[in-house]
Amino acid sequence: MNSPLANACSDPAQAAPARVLVADDDPGSCRFLCDGLASMGARAEACMDGMTALQRARTEPFDLLLLDCRMPGAGALRILAALREDTQAYSAESIAVATTAELEPDDRQSLLDAGFSEILLKPCGLAELQRVLALVRCPDGASGQCFF
């Protein structure tokens, strides 16, 4: 499935705002992440539980998935595994970032091995959020050739 940013780096005239699904059951974290992403030009959409996040990612194309590790219904690992197994899901190949307030050293590698591109520790600042958003804006590493 194609993401809305598929041609963003090759043709700046076709650049579209990154579409981001923010799945976090903490209202404060969810609001900060959505507001921060919006301030950077992304279209952030929030959901507060894992099963809703999974359903939305299956039926809508997102460029980036920010998935909280500990959400009611399903956490980040369960959501990403289900999406990667469902080849018909619109966001099956989207860049995924796990978000968490607590991270043991072994957990980081487990999350990366499971297919997450990055782990975002909460609370975070706008600089960390911008770094995560850059994963979408320059997916092939062409930093400097990507357009917002």
Side-chain angles (χ1 to χ4, degrees), residues 32-33 35-37 39-40 64 66 97 118-121 123-135 137 148:
F32 172 80
L33 293 171
D35 288 351
L37 289 163
S39 76
M40 295 173 204
L64 177 63
L66 293 184
V97 173
E118 187 59 76
I119 294 88
L120 181 65
L121 291 175
C124 68
L126 290 177
E128 291 89 0
L129 199 53
Q130 189 169 30
R131 181 179 50 82
V132 166
L133 189 56
L135 294 172
R137 295 198 167 150
F148 300 90

Side-chain angles (χ1 to χ4, degrees), residues 3 7-8 11 22 28 31 38 49 59-60 67 94 108 139 145:
S3 89
N7 297 318
D11 184 356
V22 176
R31 183 174 187 157
D49 70 81
T59 60
E60 300 176 52
L67 306 173
S94 297
R108 178 176 180 75
Q145 294 182 16

Side-chain angles (χ1 to χ4, degrees), residues 1-52:
M1 302 287 164
N2 288 331
S3 89
L5 288 180
N7 297 318
C9 285
S10 61
D11 184 356
Q14 293 183 7
R19 190 157 182 237
V20 183
L21 178 64
V22 176
D24 198 312
D25 62 314
D26 179 72
S29 291
C30 199
R31 183 174 187 157
F32 172 80
L33 293 171
C34 287
D35 288 351
L37 289 163
S39 76
M40 295 173 204
R43 283 185 33 209
E45 300 178 34
C47 58
M48 304 292 284
D49 70 81
M51 295 312 292
T52 301

